[in-house]
């Protein structure tokens, strides 16, 4: 992919719009690109970290201030979220550093101003050459056509941004694999609990009956059945298990779809955690309590990683 992908109507942009390319992007990445030319050297560094929205900050030499809008536009076309820090370093070549250019008109004005101050105050002040040289604008950069270096600077930024996006894609795919492994682990736990529930409820029913029998409790069979039914209702976690499975399906759907994923995934982690907490509160045996704890650990691991997803 070349720098032309940033132009409207490019093949890359069309592919993204129509969903041919579905990648998950991390918001954490770094890119550095450098170019050496006869007029000097350029070095771009781009850092990207997680952020709720897209925030672009630029640090450019004064010579390149004219590129600011173009750079911001290029970033917006490629990225949707993250705090993006872009810094350009420029070092002029030797041929542009060999001569010292003085702003003679400004120097004359400084001398004239100094003389007027002496007349007004009656005090004799000596304006040294060192003080004059320190005045902003006295030393001028060698004049040359700035457009001659703006274009390669912008092209180099394109290379750096492309490299940053590639890095975010690589890390995003790693995050996707990490999340998928946790989904598989949660599904196994849900399946294990769902399979064990009939046996757990039957055991609790028998346990209650044995306790009542040991106490020689004079309890009508209908009342006994009522108590057992109430226990079963309190311990029934089928709905929670079904919702856990449904949320997991939605997580996988979001992972496979194009577009931003981070906010939706973060919401789904909240829903998964809600069901895990309910499962824990309804637990009547140590096994399901431990399963609920394992679920919450896995969900928290996913949530932490999803904070970096665009």
């Amino acid at each position: 992919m070349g720098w032309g992908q940033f132009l409207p109507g490019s093949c890359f942009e069309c592919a993204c719009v129509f969903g041919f390319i579905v990648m998950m992007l991390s918001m954490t990445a770094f890119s550095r690109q450098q170019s050496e030319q006869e007029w000097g050297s350029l070095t771009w560094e781009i850092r990207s970290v997680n952020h709720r929205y897209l925030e672009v900050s630029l640090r450019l030499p004064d010579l390149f201030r004219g590129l600011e809008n173009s750079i911001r536009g290029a970033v917006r076309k490629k990225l949707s979220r993250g705090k993006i820090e872009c810094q350009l370093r420029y070092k002029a070549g030797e041929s542009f550093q060999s001569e010292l250019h003085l702003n003679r008109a400004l120097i004359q004005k400084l001398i004239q101003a100094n003389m007027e101050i002496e007349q007004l105050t009656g005090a004799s002040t000596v304006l040294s050459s060192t003080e004059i040289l320190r005045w902003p604008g006295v030393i001028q950069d060698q004049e040359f056509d700035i457009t001659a270096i703006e274009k390669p600077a912008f092209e180099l930024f394109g290379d750096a941004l492309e490299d940053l996006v590639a890095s975010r894609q690589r890390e995003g795919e790693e995050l996707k694999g990490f999340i998928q492994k946790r989904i598989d682990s949660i599904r196994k736990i849900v399946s294990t609990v769902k399979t064990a529930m009939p046996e757990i409820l039957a055991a609790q029913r028998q346990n209650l009956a044995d306790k009542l029998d040991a106490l020689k409790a004079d309890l009508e069979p209908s009342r006994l059945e009522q108590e057992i039914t109430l226990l079963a209702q309190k311990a029934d976690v089928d709905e929670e298990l079904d919702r856990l499975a449904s949320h997991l399906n939605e997580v996988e759907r979001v992972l496979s779809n194009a577009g931003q994923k981070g906010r939706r995934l973060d919401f789904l982690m909240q829903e998964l955690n809600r069901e895990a907490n309910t499962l824990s509160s309804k637990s009547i045996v140590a096994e399901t309590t431990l399963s609920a704890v394992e679920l919450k650990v896995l969900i928290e691991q996913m949530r932490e990683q999803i904070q970096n997803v665009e």
Side-chain angles (χ1 to χ4, degrees):
M1 296 181 291
W3 183 230
Q5 65 186 290
F6 296 101
L7 299 176
S10 67
C11 294
F12 179 88
E13 189 176 73
C14 293
C16 290
V17 169
F18 290 103
F20 302 147
I21 299 176
V22 179
M23 301 287 287
M24 188 165 88
L25 271 66
S26 167
M27 286 189 284
T28 304
F30 173 79
S31 175
R32 186 177 189 273
Q33 296 289 323
Q34 186 171 0
S35 176
E36 299 283 347
Q37 304 292 337
E38 60 178 9
W39 38 257
S41 65
L42 296 169
T43 303
W44 274 107
E45 288 186 355
I46 310 178
R47 290 176 172 82
S48 171
V49 295
N50 59 357
H51 196 271
R52 188 175 181 182
Y53 304 106
L54 179 64
E55 179 181 313
V56 183
S57 62
L58 303 178
R59 295 176 61 186
L60 306 175
D62 290 338
L63 280 173
F64 298 90
R65 290 297 176 188
L67 291 177
E68 184 169 343
N69 290 337
S70 298
I71 290 171
R72 291 185 183 277
V75 174
R76 285 194 294 269
K77 286 182 180 180
K78 295 297 294 181
L79 306 174
S80 302
R81 292 179 65 200
K83 184 175 181 180
I84 316 299
E85 297 179 355
C86 309
Q87 181 176 8
L88 173 62
R89 294 188 180 92
Y90 167 65
K91 184 178 180 181
E94 292 183 1
S95 59
F96 288 84
Q97 297 176 335
S98 57
E99 297 182 11
L100 189 64
H101 295 264
L102 300 179
N103 188 337
R104 298 179 182 275
L106 179 57
I107 294 173
Q108 290 293 339
K109 290 180 180 179
L110 290 173
I111 295 173
Q112 182 62 34
N114 184 66
M115 292 172 60
E116 291 178 4
I117 292 173
E118 288 182 346
Q119 291 175 359
L120 290 172
T121 62
S124 178
T125 58
V126 179
L127 189 61
S128 69
S129 58
T130 302
E131 290 173 326
I132 293 175
L133 289 172
R134 287 176 180 170
W135 193 267
V138 167
I139 299 178
Q140 295 180 314
D141 293 325
Q142 180 171 336
E143 294 183 2
F144 60 98
D145 185 8
I146 184 61
T147 58
I149 60 175
E150 275 188 342
K151 183 178 179 181
F154 187 59
E155 290 176 346
L156 186 65
F157 176 77
D159 295 338
L161 184 58
E162 188 173 323
D163 181 62
L164 184 84
V165 172
S167 178
R168 284 171 54 128
Q169 287 177 343
R170 288 192 299 270
E171 185 169 334
E173 289 303 298
E174 290 181 4
L175 290 176
K176 185 176 181 179
F178 177 94
I179 294 169
Q180 186 61 58
K181 287 181 181 179
R182 270 61 186 175
I183 290 174
D184 295 340
S185 297
I186 292 175
R187 277 211 172 98
K188 289 180 182 178
I189 294 174
V190 169
S191 177
T192 299
V193 173
K194 200 173 187 69
T195 302
M197 282 310 299
E199 185 178 341
I200 290 173
L201 292 175
Q204 288 298 308
R205 181 187 183 114
Q206 185 61 46
N207 185 44
L208 179 60
D210 292 343
K211 286 182 178 180
L212 292 174
D213 185 61
L215 294 171
K216 304 299 181 182
D218 186 14
L219 198 65
E220 296 180 1
S222 60
R223 179 61 187 278
L224 175 61
E225 186 64 28
Q226 185 179 358
E227 291 295 327
I228 292 174
T229 301
L230 184 60
L231 174 66
Q233 288 176 346
K234 289 182 177 180
D236 185 14
V237 292
D238 275 349
E239 288 187 12
E240 286 73 17
L241 295 175
D242 288 342
R243 282 196 291 267
L244 279 169
S246 177
H247 293 329
L248 292 175
N249 290 337
E250 180 63 11
V251 171
E252 288 185 323
R253 188 192 70 80
V254 173
L255 290 175
S256 63
N257 283 355
Q260 293 187 31
K261 312 176 193 299
R263 293 192 183 97
R264 179 62 179 165
L265 290 174
D266 187 61
F267 169 76
L268 289 170
M269 293 305 106
Q270 297 177 35
E271 295 302 303
L272 285 169
N273 196 57
R274 191 195 313 276
E275 302 304 333
N277 285 332
T278 305
L279 182 64
S280 178
S281 66
K282 286 188 172 184
S283 176
I284 56 177
V285 293
E287 288 81 356
T288 53
T289 300
L290 290 174
S291 294
V293 171
E294 290 179 22
L295 286 176
K296 287 192 280 189
V297 170
L298 291 168
I299 293 167
E300 179 61 20
Q301 289 176 348
M302 287 195 294
R303 191 195 66 80
E304 290 178 357
Q305 296 301 323
I306 284 170
Q307 300 306 307
N308 288 323
V309 175
E310 183 178 81

